[in-house]
């Protein structure tokens, strides 16, 4: 009699274990836990400096104390700044119209924060981004990228995950032909593209 009571109990326990195994990721197993995932983009004050963030990045990165006005001066003082960015920044008297903050990261793995800043036209149309390193002094641009309608997130290991739109000659501003996602990582003293994937639009 006891044996008959134990069999249903064992089946019930086995069913619960099977359901628990499928609850993670709808039954799909993640093979590579090192794949970078986009992090939330923190907000930033244009007067009090970067870092007035309510949502931290994937790694708890200290705040950056440079303002957008300071970033504009740093970029304009950079002799290697590209011509299009210089033209936009020269004419931009209200800095928040041409520059906007991206995530705060430690892409360089120095233990000190760097700041991603996006540059846009007055439309607004984002056409590029910069990585600004405030320390060690003086603050400087350590990397830049040109692409259309950029969005940048920070990965778990300090990678920069760059999403941009791909426009063909006949595309309207509303309707790009596709989307490109690239991952950049600090390797050998510079940002290096480690992966790229294109996806066609609808």
């Amino acid at each position: 009699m006891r044996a008959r009571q134990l069999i249903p109990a064992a089946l019930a326990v086995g069913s619960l274990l099977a359901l628990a195994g499928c609850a993670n990721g709808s039954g799909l197993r993640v093979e590579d836990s090192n794949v970078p995932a986009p992090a939330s983009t923190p907000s930033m004050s244009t007067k009090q400096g970067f870092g007035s963030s309510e949502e931290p990045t994937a790694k708890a990165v200290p705040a950056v104390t440079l303002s957008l006005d300071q970033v504009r001066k740093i970029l304009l003082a950079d002799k290697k700044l590209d011509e299009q960015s210089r033209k936009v920044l020269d004419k931009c008297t209200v800095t928040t119209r041409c520059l906007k903050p991206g995530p705060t990261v430690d892409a360089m793995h120095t233990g000190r924060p760097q700041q991603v800043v996006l540059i846009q036209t007055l439309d607004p149309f984002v056409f590029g981004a910069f990585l600004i390193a405030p320390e060690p002094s003086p603050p400087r641009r350590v990397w830049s990228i040109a692409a259309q309608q950029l969005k940048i997130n920070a990965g778990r290991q300090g990678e920069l995950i760059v999403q941009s739109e791909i426009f063909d000659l006949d595309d309207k501003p509303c309707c790009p032909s596709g989307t490109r996602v690239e991952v950049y990582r600090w390797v050998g003293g510079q940002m290096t593209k480690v992966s790229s994937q294109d996806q066609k639009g609808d």
Side-chain angles (χ1 to χ4, degrees), residues 44-118:
M44 176 179 70
S45 167
T46 60
K47 293 183 179 180
Q48 297 180 351
F50 302 125
S52 58
S53 171
E54 297 179 358
E55 298 182 6
T57 56
K59 297 171 69 176
V61 180
V64 175
T65 56
L66 292 173
S67 69
L68 287 178
D69 287 333
Q70 289 174 308
V71 170
R72 176 177 177 267
K73 292 178 181 178
I74 291 167
L75 293 172
L76 286 174
D78 187 343
K79 295 180 180 179
K80 295 183 178 180
L81 182 68
D82 67 279
E83 185 177 348
Q84 183 180 7
S85 297
R86 187 175 299 279
K87 186 180 297 183
V88 169
L89 292 174
D90 272 334
K91 296 180 179 179
C92 183
T93 55
V94 181
T95 312
T96 52
R97 294 182 180 177
C98 56
L99 293 175
K100 67 178 184 178
T104 300
V105 296
D106 183 13
M108 299 171 68
H109 305 292
T110 61
R112 300 165 177 171
Q114 299 92 48
Q115 180 67 45
V116 173
V117 180
L118 306 176

Side-chain angles (χ1 to χ4, degrees), residues 54-196:
E54 297 179 358
E55 298 182 6
T57 56
K59 297 171 69 176
V61 180
V64 175
T65 56
L66 292 173
S67 69
L68 287 178
D69 287 333
Q70 289 174 308
V71 170
R72 176 177 177 267
K73 292 178 181 178
I74 291 167
L75 293 172
L76 286 174
D78 187 343
K79 295 180 180 179
K80 295 183 178 180
L81 182 68
D82 67 279
E83 185 177 348
Q84 183 180 7
S85 297
R86 187 175 299 279
K87 186 180 297 183
V88 169
L89 292 174
D90 272 334
K91 296 180 179 179
C92 183
T93 55
V94 181
T95 312
T96 52
R97 294 182 180 177
C98 56
L99 293 175
K100 67 178 184 178
T104 300
V105 296
D106 183 13
M108 299 171 68
H109 305 292
T110 61
R112 300 165 177 171
Q114 299 92 48
Q115 180 67 45
V116 173
V117 180
L118 306 176
I119 185 168
Q120 63 187 20
T121 58
L122 296 179
D123 296 322
F125 189 90
V126 178
F127 65 89
F130 310 99
L131 184 64
I132 306 296
E135 299 180 59
S137 189
R140 65 206 183 282
R141 173 179 65 91
V142 293
W143 176 73
S144 60
I145 185 172
Q148 302 183 83
Q149 293 296 61
L150 282 172
K151 296 177 183 178
I152 299 183
N153 289 295
R156 292 191 184 98
Q157 304 300 322
E159 303 95 342
L160 294 182
I161 303 167
V162 181
Q163 178 179 318
S164 60
E165 306 293 351
I166 303 172
F167 288 89
D168 289 338
L169 292 177
D170 298 332
D171 290 344
K172 297 179 181 179
C174 67
C175 311
S177 292
T179 300
R180 176 169 296 156
V181 177
E182 300 173 317
V183 177
Y184 288 83
R185 186 175 295 144
W186 190 261
V187 179
Q190 62 183 1
M191 292 300 290
T192 302
K193 181 166 61 177
V194 295
S195 68
S196 178

